[in-house]
Amino acid sequence: MAKQENPYKKYLREDRLPHIFCPGCGNGIVMNTFFKGLEGTDIDFDNIAMVSGIGCSSRVPGYVKCDSLHTTHGRALSFATGLKVGNPDLDVVVFTGDGDAASIGGNHLIHAARRNINLTVICINNNIYGMTGGQISPTSPKGSFGTTAPYGSRDLPFDLAELVSAAGASYVARWTTTHPIQLSKAIQKGLENEGFSFIEVVSQCPTYFGRKNKMKTPLSMHQYIKENSINKRRAEKMDESELEGKIIVGEFTNKPHKELSANIKELVEENSNKGLAIKSAFEELD
Amino acid sequence: MIIIDSKLCKGCDICIATCPKKVYSKSDKVNTKNVYLPFPENEEGCTKCGLCELSCPDQAIYVKKEVE
């Protein structure tokens, strides 16, 4: 008889549950959708390596029963690039937050996208630095409040999905935690895609973003995200004033092109008529 | 049948908001952390779509699908 428990709990380290996330945090939902997306592909769960930096969202790999790498702040993508080039057979998944990917690791993000290395990056964007106490992050909407912006943020936020698609990624999508089915489909496509796949998830942070912006309960944040998200196809027909403060969701880019580890392999084979030197270390062991 | 793990639930009420059939409601039962647990009040309306399982941030909900 099968265990009577949540179908996604079998992927988690049960001794570490319940996890540290606040009540109503979106990170747990993204975890579930990732497993659902994974079940749709033919990728082996044991072949996955999860990489993360620092932040609330970067604690996710610590709860998943697979190989994981917890790295320094903002450098998750650099470590993941090394991991992928070192062993191109691995399926490397990067869990990162908005502060980790867009501010401290901003350059790593655009250059990983430009090189089109075969990684799946899931960026949980909660619009604030949640772990350190509610500071304004590069993706905080204009006019939102935080501990470092008591009169409201004056800057325009980063549009991460547009940024990464302009940098040259081959698959970019943005969904929210209120669209779990669409999100898991996007993660499935990202895992199957050969090249840099970036999935931005707009998530709720009731503890800091919600408390500072008059949405104290997880339900009110959930409702706010649900009401303010517009599909990309509909948003294209609307003008800028109508789109103010809205979250545009959907698939931004789906243009597969040649990726980094295949390019390196080809270069080595063209010039030396031998296989990849890094891989030879593994071959001798067999 | 819907089973809610009282050890894992943190009482965020996202299941109440996501269920399209309005199956869940707030109960007056508390767990060891003084969290008011959700209760599948209108269980006959459940279509076993699994959206609550997917949307539960704490992996606390299990919807038993009766397949013999």
Side-chain angles (χ1 to χ4, degrees):
Chain A
M1 204 184 98
K3 261 190 183 173
Q4 295 202 341
E5 59 176 24
N6 190 286
Y8 310 107
K9 217 174 128 189
K10 61 175 181 264
Y11 297 105
L12 300 175
R13 299 181 189 181
E14 270 175 55
D15 52 323
R16 305 200 63 188
L17 293 179
H19 42 54
I20 201 169
F21 307 135
C22 308
C25 177
N27 292 349
I29 303 173
V30 181
M31 234 148 74
N32 291 347
T33 51
F34 171 68
F35 300 137
K36 194 178 165 66
L38 185 70
E39 279 169 2
T41 64
D42 46 8
I43 292 171
D44 187 10
F45 182 63
D46 291 331
N47 197 36
I48 283 186
M50 276 179 148
V51 186
S52 69
I54 301 292
C56 290
S57 54
S58 302
R59 294 190 73 103
V60 168
Y63 295 108
V64 185
K65 248 187 224 163
C66 69
D67 295 339
S68 56
L69 187 63
H70 199 181
T71 70
T72 49
H73 200 359
R75 316 298 181 229
L77 278 165
S78 331
F79 282 89
T81 307
L83 200 60
K84 183 72 190 174
V85 175
N87 188 0
D89 298 335
L90 276 178
D91 295 300
V92 184
V93 181
V94 181
F95 267 82
T96 176
D98 54 325
D100 199 42
S103 109
I104 292 115
N107 259 311
H108 298 297
L109 179 70
I110 52 174
H111 287 282
R114 179 180 62 86
R115 285 164 160 169
N116 194 29
I117 177 150
N118 192 357
L119 303 173
T120 307
V121 181
I122 298 165
C123 177
I124 306 174
N125 178 3
N126 59 3
N127 297 327
I128 207 155
Y129 283 99
M131 188 179 253
T132 51
Q135 290 85 359
I136 287 291
S137 89
T139 52
S140 299
K142 195 178 175 183
S144 68
F145 296 91
T147 40
T148 52
Y151 303 105
S153 167
R154 291 283 178 117
D155 308 326
L156 277 176
F158 250 149
D159 190 334
L160 283 183
E162 293 280 8
L163 174 81
V164 177
S165 31
S170 52
Y171 182 81
V172 180
R174 182 198 283 137
W175 291 103
T176 72
T177 47
T178 57
H179 303 95
I181 305 277
Q182 292 94 322
L183 176 59
S184 62
K185 289 261 165 65
I187 292 174
Q188 186 185 337
K189 272 189 186 175
L191 285 167
E192 282 169 347
N193 174 40
E194 293 277 315
F196 193 82
S197 323
F198 184 82
I199 297 119
E200 182 188 346
V201 190
V202 179
S203 167
Q204 69 268 31
C205 177
T207 307
Y208 279 110
F209 189 80
R211 196 167 68 193
K212 297 276 178 194
N213 293 285
K214 298 195 176 98
M215 289 177 281
K216 274 185 187 168
T217 60
L219 277 192
S220 55
M221 275 231 76
H222 197 265
Q223 200 149 7
Y224 165 79
I225 293 176
K226 202 169 191 174
E227 281 168 4
N228 284 291
S229 46
I230 295 180
N231 200 292
K232 193 165 179 286
R233 267 172 290 169
R234 238 183 90 201
E236 274 163 5
K237 291 176 196 138
M238 292 161 84
D239 55 32
E240 250 177 60
S241 58
E242 281 178 295
L243 288 173
E244 214 178 285
K246 302 279 183 196
I247 305 160
I248 301 166
V249 295
E251 199 176 281
F252 283 70
T253 312
N254 193 358
K255 282 185 280 186
H257 56 106
K258 211 158 195 190
E259 64 106 12
L260 179 75
S261 50
N263 264 340
I264 292 178
K265 208 176 165 190
E266 205 172 85
L267 178 84
V268 172
E269 275 167 5
E270 263 175 31
N271 289 292
S272 68
N273 301 321
K274 271 190 265 173
L276 207 60
I278 306 163
K279 281 296 283 179
S280 64
F282 294 101
E283 280 157 14
E284 275 168 37
L285 288 172
D286 295 330
Chain B
M1 206 172 106
I2 297 165
I3 298 164
I4 293 162
D5 192 336
S6 62
K7 280 182 204 148
L8 293 179
C9 180
K10 290 177 189 158
C12 66
D13 300 349
I14 283 179
C15 48
I16 298 175
T18 42
C19 182
K21 294 284 177 187
K22 307 260 183 298
V23 167
Y24 294 95
S25 68
K26 200 94 178 157
S27 75
D28 46 10
K29 244 170 70 183
V30 289
N31 68 1
T32 50
K33 289 173 199 150
N34 273 352
V35 159
Y36 286 92
L37 298 170
F39 172 68
E41 193 183 32
N42 173 27
E43 215 182 309
E44 309 85 63
C46 178
T47 57
K48 298 182 175 59
C49 67
L51 202 62
C52 50
E53 282 180 327
L54 195 60
S55 293
C56 179
D58 302 297
Q59 290 82 31
I61 299 176
Y62 171 63
V63 181
K64 194 174 178 184
K65 296 174 183 78
E66 272 132 57
V67 185
E68 292 300 321

